[in-house]
Amino acid sequence: MKTVLVIIFTLILSIGVSSSTYAIDYSVSDNQDVLLDINKTINKRWRDLEELQENSDWVDTQLKLQYFGTIYQKGWFGPKVQRQIMPSLDGKYIVVDSISVGVPILKQMAYLGTNFLIRSSLPFIQGTPTEERHFSKATAVDSYEEAIELKHMEVIDLPTSRERFNSLRVGQQVNTVLTSGFASRVNLLWLDFLNVVIPEVTTFAPKAKLKISKSLDVTIEKEQNDIAIITIKHLDDMSKGAGLGLSLIVDEIIDLPISIGINESQGYSPIVFNLKKSKQEINQLIYRLDLSSPEGLKAYLSFLDQDFSEIQDLEESGNESVELFMKKEGQRNNSEFNWGLNFVLWKTGARYISENGKYETRFKDGENLKYEEIIYSKVSDHKGFSGKEKRNYNLKAVVPTNDNATKSFSLTINYSYSDDDSSGRELNKEADFLYERYLDNGMRIDFDKNQDYGKVQIYSSLIFSTKAIEELIEVDDFTLWESIALAFEYTDSLIWISEEDRNDFRRDNYVYEHSVRKRNHLSANQKKKLKQLENLKLAQRVYKLFNKLRSNISVKEKAKLLVHGLKSSKLAPVVQKAMVNIIGINDLMGQGYIKGNLY
């Protein structure tokens, strides 16, 4: 009987989703009052930033340390605001103010009440529509001081007219993302079948999860007065997953995260393990629009009311007011495993994310670019009495797939670390991590292990171009073995250069097999020899990986192989150092920084 009720309830919710939550109706002309109401609420969230900007001590501290990333955020339940400062490649600074507005509190309480009623007959299923409006403004400034003191974004500043558009700075971008959908969770209450009694306010059980959403992502950029660059992006998402966790019921029926991330601020889940898969369809158009012409201005105002037909009609008719710059279509598949332990004062967890994307981009001059992306990320979080730490290790391979594309790919390696209260001992571990992968970019610093350094940020990236990857794919055996030996920091780079040399190395470092099983009983010299043999075994695994890169497999398979090797905590340091040794550090592109009170 319960199974029948679940099916009926799911069908009812599905009908509701198709008829209401997918309808994004947020035209500017009909919602000026809504924007004014949102702005009043949002401005309260910005008040603390305004007070900080008037505090000379705070400003002086920020100018001294010049942190990147989030420097201000406010809002836990309800509207949220955030300011981020990021470096620009041209030496300037990008200030990004963002505003997120979720489901109104009255609606959330209605969903809460509905789920409580349903819980009496269907205790293992909850569901809710999801809504979010996200506004952001990106501004390029010349100095960090200007970035700190820049007036915060207001919703009513959105360029809803020609005059407001022209009041933007050249290059300034305003973005709006409107998302609606539905999320559902089914608790697989195996504990009930075992006659285990649990408190009513909690649920500990396996969970199956489903989330469907549609998003409209719109960006307006000012190229110059009356010339707007408009980006329209449609995103269709479907996520499904399974998890095991102990979580308070409030989190399940209000927040309903498909993946309870380690950074979530809503709800409370002390123990969580999740596996999630998602698929996203992307359609993106970029137009150049002239607002000085009557046709262009009319198309712009219609666009603000979510009527894109005017722009499309003008472009198809060849009107000079509108020019289609670019069209992009693609599909992205994502899989993620995450886990988290959250005991309020102490929490830790990690996310392991793999992503494959396939895209086609057509430009106005007729050029057609096809490519695939292979991405891996590991994000870890820890918060305890020693402060809040976050690490992000990211690998991204881009594989051109045009018929005439080069038989190579590009690879970007990024690493970031931040700690609100770092010690010298912790920072030396980070310095070692970067150095053993040649990611230090000349930033090697020896920290005093007994000193507390407060808040510290570290970022480093290394970019291997298609030309650099070609060198790896075409490397000869002599250069490869020499580069691997240097990766182990042997002063004699020819120590493994031939099979005969490797056999001699094994013989010189031989340790009796029965002795190896009793490692604790080995002498210091035997342990040293054993370490040398382990180095050679690892070197042979690295050689095998590079040898496969030189084989006849497809370029995409080569990219996957290299990303997989760089994921491995054992292989990655040696593989990455060997790559740098083959190509030469001076022929690679890299950047990085360390921010904090280091001296």
Side-chain angles (χ1 to χ4, degrees):
M1 182 63 183
K2 282 187 175 181
T3 304
V4 175
L5 288 171
V6 170
I7 295 171
I8 295 172
F9 179 62
T10 305
L11 288 172
I12 293 171
L13 289 173
S14 301
I15 293 169
V17 169
S18 62
S19 63
S20 62
T21 57
Y22 272 0
I24 300 175
D25 183 13
Y26 197 65
S27 63
V28 171
S29 61
D30 295 334
N31 286 275
Q32 289 293 338
D33 292 338
V34 174
L35 290 177
L36 288 171
D37 287 341
I38 292 174
N39 199 64
K40 289 177 184 177
T41 305
I42 293 300
N43 279 345
K44 296 175 184 177
R45 307 288 191 187
W46 289 116
R47 283 177 187 168
D48 287 350
L49 177 62
E50 293 172 344
E51 291 177 4
L52 289 171
Q53 290 174 325
E54 294 174 0
N55 185 325
S56 58
D57 291 338
W58 181 82
V59 172
D60 290 343
T61 301
Q62 297 301 313
L63 291 177
K64 177 183 178 182
L65 301 176
Q66 298 201 5
Y67 292 125
F68 290 134
T70 302
I71 67 160
Y72 176 83
Q73 59 182 354
K74 190 80 170 181
W76 178 73
F77 194 77
K80 302 173 187 176
V81 300
Q82 179 177 264
R83 167 162 290 187
Q84 292 181 303
I85 300 177
M86 306 303 296
S88 176
L89 292 177
D90 59 3
K92 294 186 177 183
Y93 300 86
I94 306 296
V95 182
V96 181
D97 285 351
S98 59
I99 299 167
S100 296
V101 183
V103 179
I105 183 66
L106 291 179
K107 281 190 178 182
Q108 293 203 33
M109 295 307 295
Y111 302 150
L112 177 63
T114 303
N115 277 281
F116 268 117
L117 291 173
I118 294 168
R119 187 175 176 83
S120 62
S121 58
L122 298 172
F124 41 82
I125 186 167
Q126 297 95 35
T128 181
T130 59
E131 301 174 31
E132 185 175 52
R133 301 165 186 167
H134 183 84
F135 309 95
S136 64
K137 179 190 280 187
T139 307
V141 296
D142 294 324
S143 68
Y144 196 88
E145 183 175 8
E146 191 178 356
I148 288 291
E149 297 180 346
L150 188 70
K151 186 181 184 303
H152 62 76
M153 175 190 183
E154 295 192 50
V155 176
I156 57 173
D157 289 340
L158 294 174
T160 55
S161 66
R162 179 183 178 187
E163 292 73 19
R164 285 189 175 179
F165 172 81
N166 284 331
S167 69
L168 295 175
R169 300 186 185 195
V170 172
Q172 198 166 43
Q173 295 181 357
V174 177
N175 173 263
T176 303
V177 182
L178 307 175
T179 302
S180 67
F182 180 78
S184 178
R185 175 182 302 201
V186 178
N187 297 320
L188 309 176
L189 296 177
W190 51 271
L191 289 178
D192 284 355
F193 298 114
L194 297 176
N195 293 320
V196 177
V197 179
I198 56 177
E200 180 66 19
V201 294
T202 63
T203 301
F204 182 73
K207 299 173 178 67
K209 313 165 192 178
L210 175 68
K211 183 178 181 180
I212 303 171
S213 67
K214 286 181 177 288
S215 297
L216 174 62
D217 185 335
V218 173
T219 300
I220 301 172
E221 178 183 351
K222 181 179 177 180
E223 183 181 277
Q224 61 187 57
N225 276 349
D226 287 329
I227 302 297
I229 305 297
I230 293 176
T231 302
I232 305 169
K233 186 188 295 185
H234 290 274
L235 304 171
D236 291 343
D237 274 291
M238 182 159 89
S239 302
K240 54 187 177 181
L244 176 66
L246 172 66
S247 58
L248 293 186
I249 190 171
V250 172
D251 181 66
E252 293 181 11
I253 59 183
I254 291 183
D255 195 37
L256 277 171
I258 288 296
S259 165
I260 304 176
I262 310 309
N263 300 310
E264 290 293 336
S265 59
Q266 287 186 337
Y268 173 59
S269 301
I271 304 173
V272 174
F273 297 90
N274 277 307
L275 180 64
K276 164 191 167 184
K277 290 193 175 183
S278 62
K279 183 177 180 180
Q280 186 178 74
E281 299 284 345
I282 301 168
N283 290 282
Q284 180 177 336
L285 298 168
I286 300 180
Y287 292 97
R288 187 174 186 270
L289 194 60
D290 185 355
L291 276 61
S292 65
S293 70
E295 300 92 340
L297 181 58
K298 182 183 177 184
Y300 179 75
L301 296 177
S302 297
F303 153 76
L304 294 176
D305 285 338
Q306 292 192 32
D307 179 3
F308 307 140
S309 60
E310 289 278 351
I311 292 180
Q312 293 170 339
D313 290 345
L314 286 177
E315 189 273 325
E316 289 172 1
S317 66
N319 191 294
E320 294 182 355
S321 301
V322 178
E323 185 178 21
L324 179 61
F325 258 16
M326 189 192 82
K327 182 177 182 180
K328 179 179 178 180
E329 297 175 315
Q331 186 181 92
R332 183 184 299 143
N333 292 288
N334 178 295
S335 63
E336 173 180 341
F337 170 74
N338 62 59
W339 62 271
L341 301 175
N342 187 347
F343 302 114
V344 184
L345 295 178
W346 183 90
K347 72 174 186 177
T348 188
R351 302 171 64 197
Y352 305 86
I353 306 166
S354 296
E355 185 177 295
N356 289 280
K358 189 173 184 179
Y359 307 96
E360 181 175 358
T361 303
R362 293 186 286 276
F363 298 92
K364 64 176 184 178
D365 60 2
E367 183 182 358
N368 189 21
L369 177 62
K370 297 179 181 179
Y371 63 97
E372 295 189 37
E373 290 182 349
I374 300 161
I375 300 173
Y376 170 79
S377 296
K378 179 185 176 183
V379 182
S380 60
D381 249 344
H382 177 79
K383 183 178 181 181
F385 298 102
S386 63
K388 183 178 181 181
E389 301 175 15
K390 183 176 181 180
R391 294 175 179 82
N392 192 334
Y393 181 60
N394 179 269
L395 305 165
K396 179 179 179 181
V398 179
V399 184
T401 56
N402 288 73
D403 293 337
N404 60 347
T406 177
K407 301 301 181 184
S408 183
F409 58 93
S410 64
L411 177 72
T412 303
I413 304 172
N414 290 316
Y415 180 74
S416 63
Y417 167 85
S418 65
D419 190 347
D420 289 348
D421 187 14
S422 55
S423 67
R425 190 183 304 275
E426 291 170 322
L427 293 176
N428 278 328
K429 289 181 180 178
E430 295 305 314
D432 291 341
F433 177 90
L434 293 172
Y435 177 74
E436 70 181 7
R437 287 164 171 76
Y438 286 169
L439 267 172
D440 55 315
N441 283 311
M443 299 186 299
R444 177 74 189 203
I445 299 177
D446 291 322
F447 298 92
D448 183 347
K449 65 180 181 180
N450 298 315
Q451 183 175 336
D452 290 328
Y453 288 88
K455 184 176 180 179
V456 173
Q457 296 177 330
I458 300 174
Y459 172 78
S460 183
S461 72
L462 207 55
I463 301 172
F464 295 81
S465 65
T466 54
K467 182 181 178 182
I469 296 296
E470 279 178 10
E471 289 187 49
L472 298 180
I473 294 173
E474 298 171 0
V475 65
D476 59 81
D477 260 24
F478 186 95
T479 304
L480 178 55
W481 275 112
E482 184 180 28
S483 299
I484 293 173
L486 289 172
F488 283 93
E489 299 188 349
Y490 286 111
T491 53
D492 180 7
S493 63
L494 305 182
I495 193 168
W496 294 327
I497 208 67
S498 68
E499 184 64 36
E500 182 181 354
D501 289 318
R502 293 190 288 278
N503 287 333
D504 288 343
F505 187 87
R506 289 189 193 92
R507 188 165 49 250
D508 293 341
N509 292 285
Y510 179 74
V511 179
Y512 289 109
E513 186 176 350
H514 74 277
S515 300
V516 174
R517 297 171 188 165
K518 301 179 180 179
R519 184 183 288 258
N520 293 335
H521 297 161
L522 294 177
S523 67
N525 186 51
Q526 286 176 315
K527 289 180 180 178
K528 184 179 178 181
K529 287 184 175 182
L530 192 59
K531 176 62 178 173
Q532 299 305 310
L533 291 175
E534 290 172 351
N535 285 350
L536 180 55
K537 287 181 181 178
L538 183 57
Q540 288 175 313
R541 288 178 61 192
V542 174
Y543 175 84
K544 186 177 179 181
L545 185 150
F546 277 96
N547 206 33
K548 200 163 184 180
L549 282 176
R550 299 185 295 186
S551 69
N552 238 358
I553 59 176
S554 68
V555 177
K556 182 179 178 180
E557 288 302 312
K558 291 179 180 181
K560 283 184 175 180
L561 178 69
L562 189 53
V563 168
H564 182 75
L566 292 170
K567 283 166 48 177
S568 166
S569 58
K570 190 78 172 176
L571 277 179
V574 184
V575 171
Q576 196 163 314
K577 290 175 81 171
M579 290 167 63
V580 174
N581 291 334
I582 292 169
I583 299 162
I585 190 67
N586 294 327
D587 293 327
L588 294 172
M589 296 176 284
Q591 61 177 334
Y593 59 76
I594 299 179
K595 298 285 184 179
N597 193 9
L598 305 178
Y599 304 102

